[in-house]
Amino acid sequence: MEFVYEVEGGNFTKAGNASSAVKKTMKQLNVDPKIVKRTVVALYEAEVNIVAHAYGGVITVNVNAEHIHIVLDDNGPGIPDIDLAMQEGFSTASSKVREMGFGAGMGLPNIKKNVDELKVSSEVDKGTRVEMKTYLKNQ
Amino acid sequence: MKVCDLVEQLNLKVFCGEQGLDNEVVGGYTSDLLSDVMGNVDENQVWITLQTHKNIMAIASLKEVAAVILVKGYKPEQAALEQSNEEGIPILGTDLETFEMSGELFGLLKK
């Protein structure tokens, strides 16, 4: 099953809408509540990253019996140094975003902790792709 | 313990989300960093914060917290208030500072 959601860059009033929709769908599909919780944390962080850093993006969610696979593609400034971005505490968020309590440099590390596989690829001035996969059955 | 018991015993103001006053409370979490809350708060905990914007309700809903307590006399922004009513997750208020509120809640839940 595939679901697609669009995310608007800069619009914090809608941040979390896609995560909320995915959570509802996963619950309806009777996905293990522990996996729902972990996936929601990872997806919300990734969704907020698009809102905070990019002009816009698309979230594609694939669920089957084996795994949940989520791809977030954005049009944005890209990440010049992905290893640096993965470090806890590193952030390029604006002061406005930080005042809201975002931009603590915890997003990508939070994502990594809550999915089985994470792949981040990026092209500067074009955009970033975040792919995450969590297995629904014990491997 | 329920959210309405906290309201009564800690003398909290109820801004919105009244239909969630029967939510069960099993613990609390205090933080203003949203990623920290996202990563660490658990369902049926009460979240104590000074953030007042709508995104607190997105997190409260995704993590299924019992209620949010705003400290130091802060009030929720209109959009947060509306989402609180939609989700049935109460936003409560106190004039106490974060440290004091957390201490009061901890003491009450420890009993």
CSV table of all heavy atoms in Angstrom, one decimal, chain A residues 73-95:
chain,number,residue,atom,x,y,z
A,73,ASP,N,11.3,13.4,0.1
A,73,ASP,CA,12.1,14.1,-0.9
A,73,ASP,C,11.8,15.6,-0.8
A,73,ASP,O,10.6,16.0,-0.8
A,73,ASP,CB,11.7,13.6,-2.3
A,73,ASP,CG,12.5,12.5,-2.8
A,73,ASP,OD1,13.7,12.6,-2.7
A,73,ASP,OD2,11.9,11.5,-3.2
A,74,ASP,N,12.8,16.4,-0.6
A,74,ASP,CA,12.5,17.8,-0.6
A,74,ASP,C,13.2,18.7,-1.6
A,74,ASP,O,14.2,18.2,-2.1
A,74,ASP,CB,12.7,18.4,0.8
A,74,ASP,CG,14.1,18.6,1.2
A,74,ASP,OD1,15.0,19.0,0.4
A,74,ASP,OD2,14.4,18.3,2.4
A,75,ASN,N,12.6,19.8,-2.0
A,75,ASN,CA,13.4,20.8,-2.7
A,75,ASN,C,13.9,21.8,-1.7
A,75,ASN,O,13.1,22.4,-1.0
A,75,ASN,CB,12.4,21.6,-3.7
A,75,ASN,CG,11.7,20.6,-4.6
A,75,ASN,OD1,12.3,19.8,-5.2
A,75,ASN,ND2,10.4,20.7,-4.6
A,76,GLY,N,15.2,22.0,-1.7
A,76,GLY,CA,15.7,22.9,-0.6
A,76,GLY,C,17.2,23.1,-0.8
A,76,GLY,O,17.8,22.8,-1.8
A,77,PRO,N,17.8,23.6,0.2
A,77,PRO,CA,19.2,24.0,0.2
A,77,PRO,C,20.1,22.8,0.2
A,77,PRO,O,21.3,22.9,-0.2
A,77,PRO,CB,19.4,24.8,1.4
A,77,PRO,CG,18.4,24.4,2.4
A,77,PRO,CD,17.2,24.0,1.5
A,78,GLY,N,19.6,21.6,0.6
A,78,GLY,CA,20.5,20.4,0.6
A,78,GLY,C,21.4,20.5,1.9
A,78,GLY,O,21.4,21.5,2.6
A,79,ILE,N,22.1,19.4,2.1
A,79,ILE,CA,23.0,19.3,3.2
A,79,ILE,C,24.4,19.1,2.7
A,79,ILE,O,24.7,18.0,2.1
A,79,ILE,CB,22.6,18.1,4.2
A,79,ILE,CG1,21.1,18.2,4.6
A,79,ILE,CG2,23.5,18.0,5.4
A,79,ILE,CD1,20.6,17.0,5.3
A,80,PRO,N,25.3,20.0,2.9
A,80,PRO,CA,26.7,19.9,2.4
A,80,PRO,C,27.5,18.8,3.1
A,80,PRO,O,28.3,18.1,2.4
A,80,PRO,CB,27.3,21.3,2.7
A,80,PRO,CG,26.3,22.2,3.2
A,80,PRO,CD,25.1,21.3,3.6
A,81,ASP,N,27.3,18.6,4.4
A,81,ASP,CA,28.1,17.6,5.1
A,81,ASP,C,27.1,16.7,5.9
A,81,ASP,O,26.7,17.1,7.0
A,81,ASP,CB,29.1,18.3,6.0
A,81,ASP,CG,30.1,17.3,6.7
A,81,ASP,OD1,29.7,16.1,6.8
A,81,ASP,OD2,31.1,17.8,7.1
A,82,ILE,N,26.7,15.6,5.4
A,82,ILE,CA,25.7,14.8,6.1
A,82,ILE,C,26.2,14.2,7.4
A,82,ILE,O,25.5,14.2,8.4
A,82,ILE,CB,25.2,13.7,5.1
A,82,ILE,CG1,24.4,14.3,4.0
A,82,ILE,CG2,24.3,12.6,5.9
A,82,ILE,CD1,24.0,13.4,2.9
A,83,ASP,N,27.5,13.8,7.5
A,83,ASP,CA,28.0,13.3,8.7
A,83,ASP,C,27.9,14.4,9.9
A,83,ASP,O,27.6,14.0,11.0
A,83,ASP,CB,29.5,12.9,8.6
A,83,ASP,CG,29.6,11.7,7.7
A,83,ASP,OD1,28.7,10.9,7.7
A,83,ASP,OD2,30.7,11.4,7.1
A,84,LEU,N,28.2,15.6,9.5
A,84,LEU,CA,28.1,16.7,10.5
A,84,LEU,C,26.6,16.9,10.9
A,84,LEU,O,26.3,17.0,12.1
A,84,LEU,CB,28.7,18.0,9.8
A,84,LEU,CG,28.8,19.2,10.7
A,84,LEU,CD1,29.7,19.0,11.9
A,84,LEU,CD2,29.3,20.4,9.9
A,85,ALA,N,25.7,16.8,9.9
A,85,ALA,CA,24.3,17.0,10.2
A,85,ALA,C,23.8,15.9,11.1
A,85,ALA,O,22.8,16.1,11.9
A,85,ALA,CB,23.5,17.0,8.9
A,86,MET,N,24.4,14.7,11.0
A,86,MET,CA,23.9,13.6,11.9
A,86,MET,C,24.4,13.7,13.3
A,86,MET,O,23.9,13.0,14.2
A,86,MET,CB,24.5,12.3,11.3
A,86,MET,CG,23.9,11.8,10.0
A,86,MET,SD,22.1,11.6,10.0
A,86,MET,CE,21.9,10.4,11.3
A,87,GLN,N,25.3,14.6,13.6
A,87,GLN,CA,25.8,14.8,14.9
A,87,GLN,C,24.8,15.4,15.8
A,87,GLN,O,24.2,16.5,15.5
A,87,GLN,CB,27.1,15.6,15.0
A,87,GLN,CG,28.3,14.8,14.5
A,87,GLN,CD,29.6,15.6,14.5
A,87,GLN,OE1,29.7,16.6,15.2
A,87,GLN,NE2,30.5,15.3,13.7
A,88,GLU,N,24.6,14.9,17.0
A,88,GLU,CA,23.7,15.4,18.0
A,88,GLU,C,24.2,16.8,18.4
A,88,GLU,O,25.3,17.1,18.7
A,88,GLU,CB,23.6,14.5,19.2
A,88,GLU,CG,22.5,14.8,20.1
A,88,GLU,CD,21.8,13.6,20.6
A,88,GLU,OE1,22.1,12.5,20.2
A,88,GLU,OE2,20.9,13.8,21.5
A,89,GLY,N,23.2,17.8,18.3
A,89,GLY,CA,23.6,19.2,18.7
A,89,GLY,C,23.9,20.1,17.5
A,89,GLY,O,23.9,21.3,17.7
A,90,PHE,N,24.2,19.5,16.4
A,90,PHE,CA,24.5,20.3,15.2
A,90,PHE,C,23.2,20.7,14.6
A,90,PHE,O,22.3,19.9,14.3
A,90,PHE,CB,25.4,19.6,14.2
A,90,PHE,CG,25.7,20.4,13.0
A,90,PHE,CD1,26.7,21.4,13.0
A,90,PHE,CD2,24.9,20.3,11.8
A,90,PHE,CE1,26.9,22.2,11.9
A,90,PHE,CE2,25.1,21.2,10.7
A,90,PHE,CZ,26.2,22.1,10.8
A,91,SER,N,23.1,22.1,14.3
A,91,SER,CA,21.9,22.6,13.7
A,91,SER,C,22.1,23.8,12.9
A,91,SER,O,23.0,24.6,13.2
A,91,SER,CB,20.8,22.9,14.8
A,91,SER,OG,19.7,23.4,14.2
A,92,THR,N,21.4,24.0,11.8
A,92,THR,CA,21.5,25.2,11.0
A,92,THR,C,20.2,26.0,11.0
A,92,THR,O,19.9,26.9,10.2
A,92,THR,CB,21.9,24.9,9.5
A,92,THR,OG1,20.9,24.1,9.0
A,92,THR,CG2,23.2,24.3,9.4
A,93,ALA,N,19.3,25.6,12.0
A,93,ALA,CA,18.0,26.2,12.1
A,93,ALA,C,18.1,27.7,12.4
A,93,ALA,O,19.0,28.2,13.1
A,93,ALA,CB,17.2,25.5,13.1
A,94,SER,N,17.1,28.5,11.9
A,94,SER,CA,17.1,29.9,12.1
A,94,SER,C,16.7,30.2,13.6
A,94,SER,O,16.2,29.3,14.3
A,94,SER,CB,16.0,30.6,11.2
A,94,SER,OG,14.7,30.1,11.6
A,95,SER,N,17.0,31.4,14.0
A,95,SER,CA,16.7,31.8,15.4
A,95,SER,C,15.2,31.7,15.7
A,95,SER,O,14.7,31.3,16.7
A,95,SER,CB,17.2,33.1,15.8
A,95,SER,OG,16.8,34.1,14.9
